[in-house]
Amino acid sequence: MRKTKVVIIGAGYIGASIGYSLLLKETVEEIVFIDANRNRAEGEVLDINHGITCMGKSYVRLGDYDECLTADMIIITAGKNRRDGQSRRDLSYENIRIMRNIVDKMTPYYQNAIVLVVSNPVDLLTYQITEWLGDKDGKIFGTGCMLDSSRLVRLLAEYTKASIDNIQISVIGEHGECFMPIWSKATIYGIGVDEYCSQVGIPWNDEVKKGLIDQVYNMGSEIIKRKERTHYGIAIVTSFLVDSVLNNHPAMVPVSSVLRGEYGINGVAMSVPTVISLKGAKRCLELKWTEEEKNFLKICAKRIEEEKLLFYKE
Ligand code: NAD
């Protein structure tokens, strides 16, 4: 294992679950928690550390912002969580204020670390943090539509009875509100979903696709209704991204970063298939999608842009 250090800012449910998941997978050597509520963070550190004799070798501890100086990766999970009936966008005001506070404290110690944004609304916050820290050529990105993609893969596997490992599909756009699966590039066992379904005799049409999209759209709210928050799924997805980056396991994933002309979009953070590796989210791929898919991405960009302008106007 390479000697690696991750700083997690926000030791709430998500931060702690990410730390726990990184520890179990032995993804990094050192995990440092920072939180405005030091007491809570200390409790999580003690708790996570107490399984270390049985599994996981990472050194988990409490820290302060100067830890960012030597961090390989900084994961931001601080901020308000949505309650039942709230959308991710309802969190904008409060969470941008919290991000400003964090970035101010981080900046004197920020050098070259890769910054991964998890807090919501993740696209707006990824854009904002990129603006504040300066464009670092792929070093700042958000989890974006990774969770939505993962949820869709699970649903598609249940629907088609195919194994999860053999399903490839990306959800692109805005996390949670305005997204779209790229059906034209989706494959099951290497062949198109329509061809696969027709071979095995399962219906595959607009109604089925809409049903799957609706389930992905409502998934977060359904979990919040039942247990008030979501944290395990996003924690596992985040651990996967940390492993890809720090242990150099390149992957092509729909993470959120500020687009610079890709698909004709400029200055908006959103998810498109992106190669992540040791250098971060360096390459957003411009793939041959259908006209409908390309137009939909533009609609998503417009919505995120409007949300951004609305925020600055008030
Ligand atoms: P939580 O309330 O359990 O934890 C938030 C933590 O942030 C708290 O410990 C709090 O003390 C800390 N905090 C608040 N302000 C701070 C500041 N200025 N500096 C440092 N720490 C500060 O919330 P959670 O369930 O862990 O969720 C965290 C965020 O993740 C929310 O914004 C939530 O919407 C988001 N989320 C993202 C995804 C995704 O797919 N990207 C999925 C689920 C939730």
Side-chain angles (χ1 to χ4, degrees), residues 8-20 31 33 48 75 77 231 235:
I8 302 178
I9 304 178
Y13 278 86
I14 292 185
S17 304
I18 293 170
Y20 181 60
I31 303 167
F33 281 104
I48 295 172
I75 305 175
T77 76
H231 53 110

Side-chain angles (χ1 to χ4, degrees), residues 12-255:
Y13 278 86
I14 292 185
S17 304
I18 293 170
Y20 181 60
S21 164
L22 290 174
L23 176 112
L24 291 186
K25 288 186 74 190
E26 299 184 1
T27 308
V28 293
E29 276 201 336
E30 207 175 347
I31 303 167
V32 181
F33 281 104
I34 299 175
D35 197 292
N37 182 345
R38 248 184 116 72
N39 210 30
R40 179 178 185 180
E42 193 165 21
E44 296 295 359
V45 165
L46 289 169
D47 198 6
I48 295 172
N49 262 325
H50 290 168
I52 234 157
T53 51
C54 306
M55 197 186 277
K57 296 189 186 75
S58 313
Y59 181 38
V60 186
R61 59 190 178 79
L62 191 63
D64 223 320
Y65 282 88
D66 57 352
E67 300 281 355
C68 294
L69 204 57
T70 49
D72 294 291
M73 203 157 175
I74 300 168
I75 305 175
I76 304 182
T77 76
K80 294 285 171 215
N81 216 324
R82 67 191 172 120
R83 292 185 299 276
D84 192 13
Q86 269 190 318
S87 81
R88 293 167 184 85
R89 288 178 175 196
D90 293 331
L91 305 171
S92 302
Y93 286 91
E94 191 85 24
N95 283 355
I96 287 193
R97 195 184 57 76
I98 290 172
M99 288 311 125
R100 178 78 250 185
N101 175 270
I102 289 170
V103 169
D104 283 347
K105 290 182 176 155
M106 215 176 104
T107 301
Y109 308 104
Y110 180 70
Q111 290 212 323
N112 257 329
I114 288 173
V115 177
L116 177 54
V117 185
V118 183
S119 311
N120 271 322
V122 67
D123 300 291
L124 193 58
L125 297 183
T126 301
Y127 167 81
Q128 199 52 82
I129 292 171
T130 308
E131 283 288 293
W132 289 330
L133 286 178
D135 200 336
K136 304 286 178 199
D137 196 19
K139 288 219 159 88
I140 304 168
F141 65 101
T143 50
C145 290
M146 276 293 288
L147 185 59
D148 314 80
S149 299
S150 188
R151 285 171 174 163
L152 181 60
V153 168
R154 155 63 70 187
L155 291 166
L156 205 50
E158 281 166 9
Y159 179 70
T160 59
K161 309 278 182 290
S163 70
I164 279 174
D165 293 348
N166 288 294
I167 297 179
Q168 301 273 332
I169 187 160
S170 285
V171 169
I172 54 99
E174 181 188 15
H175 167 52
E177 313 288 324
C178 180
F179 65 81
M180 184 186 214
I182 299 298
W183 297 119
S184 68
K185 297 279 174 207
T187 57
I188 298 180
Y189 298 113
I191 58 172
V193 186
D194 46 354
E195 192 182 348
Y196 176 80
C197 288
S198 107
Q199 289 289 324
V200 296
I202 307 170
W204 185 250
N205 51 44
D206 286 349
E207 199 186 327
V208 174
K209 289 184 207 170
K210 186 177 177 311
L212 291 168
I213 293 174
D214 287 349
Q215 284 186 73
V216 173
Y217 185 86
N218 293 320
M219 192 69 82
S221 313
E222 288 298 327
I223 300 169
I224 289 169
K225 247 187 237 162
R226 290 165 174 81
K227 57 169 275 192
E228 293 181 2
R229 59 191 69 247
T230 69
H231 53 110
Y232 293 124
I234 183 63
I236 295 168
V237 161
T238 305
S239 301
F240 169 87
L241 295 175
V242 175
D243 181 53
S244 274
V245 171
L246 294 187
N247 299 322
N248 200 17
H249 295 141
M252 191 187 78
V253 282
V255 289

